[in-house]
Amino acid sequence: KRKAKVGKRSIQQYVSGPTLAYDGTALDGQILGGFTRAELLSVGRRGYAFLLQTIDAPEVAAMAAKLVAHLRYTGYFNLDWIVDSESGLPYLIDTNMRGSPGMSHDGAVLGMGDSPLVRLRQAMSGELPLAHFAATWYTPLAH
C-alpha cells in the first residue's frame, strides 16, 4: 500500500458574526460603483442569501477600492465579509471576480440610478466619463 503524503496544512481562525457582501463594477482598477449588503436570511447558516438589506459600510467600500486598484481589475466583482461580533472588524473571506446575484439588483430601486451592468457598459463605451461614476454611485440608501 502507498502511504498518502501529508503536506502543509492551513488553519483558519473561526470568526463569529454577520455576513456582508460588496457588489461592484470596476474599470482599470477604479470602482465605477458598488454597494454593501447585509445578508438577513439565507439557506442554512452560510448558504445562498435571499433577503438582503443595503447598508452603509465605508470601511468595507474602502478595502474593496484598495483591492480593485491593486489588481487594476476590470469587470464585475463580489467580495464576501464576516464582521467579527466582538471587535466589529470586517474580514474578507471570499473574492468572486465575476458577477453575482447582487448584480441583478436594479440601481433605481437601490437609489443609485443605473444598475451595475449598465454602468460598466457606459464606462467602457465612453458614454459617460469615469468621474461621473465616483460622484454618483457611492451614496447608500437612507434607512
Side-chain angles (χ1 to χ4, degrees), residues 45-121:
R45 196 165 145 255
R46 297 278 187 228
Y48 179 81
F50 57 90
L51 181 60
L52 311 169
Q53 178 182 17
T54 58
I55 64 167
D56 184 19
E59 66 283 358
V60 168
M63 287 187 275
K66 187 174 180 178
L67 175 65
V68 166
H70 178 75
L71 297 174
R72 295 201 43 81
Y73 183 72
T74 292
Y76 313 120
F77 64 94
N78 163 266
L79 305 173
D80 295 325
W81 310 79
I82 290 183
V83 179
D84 188 320
S85 57
E86 292 181 20
S87 69
L89 295 174
Y91 288 89
L92 180 64
I93 59 169
D94 192 17
T95 59
N96 301 293
M97 304 317 257
R98 55 170 170 70
S100 72
M103 293 291 120
S104 64
H105 293 301
D106 181 354
V109 171
L110 295 173
M112 295 179 272
D114 295 322
S115 73
L117 305 174
V118 170
R119 286 188 169 239
L120 184 59
R121 179 191 53 76

Side-chain angles (χ1 to χ4, degrees), residues 10-34:
S10 175
I11 298 174
Q12 186 175 12
Q13 179 179 343
Y14 178 76
V15 177
S16 177
T19 303
L20 300 179
Y22 184 92
D23 293 299
T25 178
L27 180 64
D28 294 328
Q30 181 177 343
I31 292 181
L32 303 176

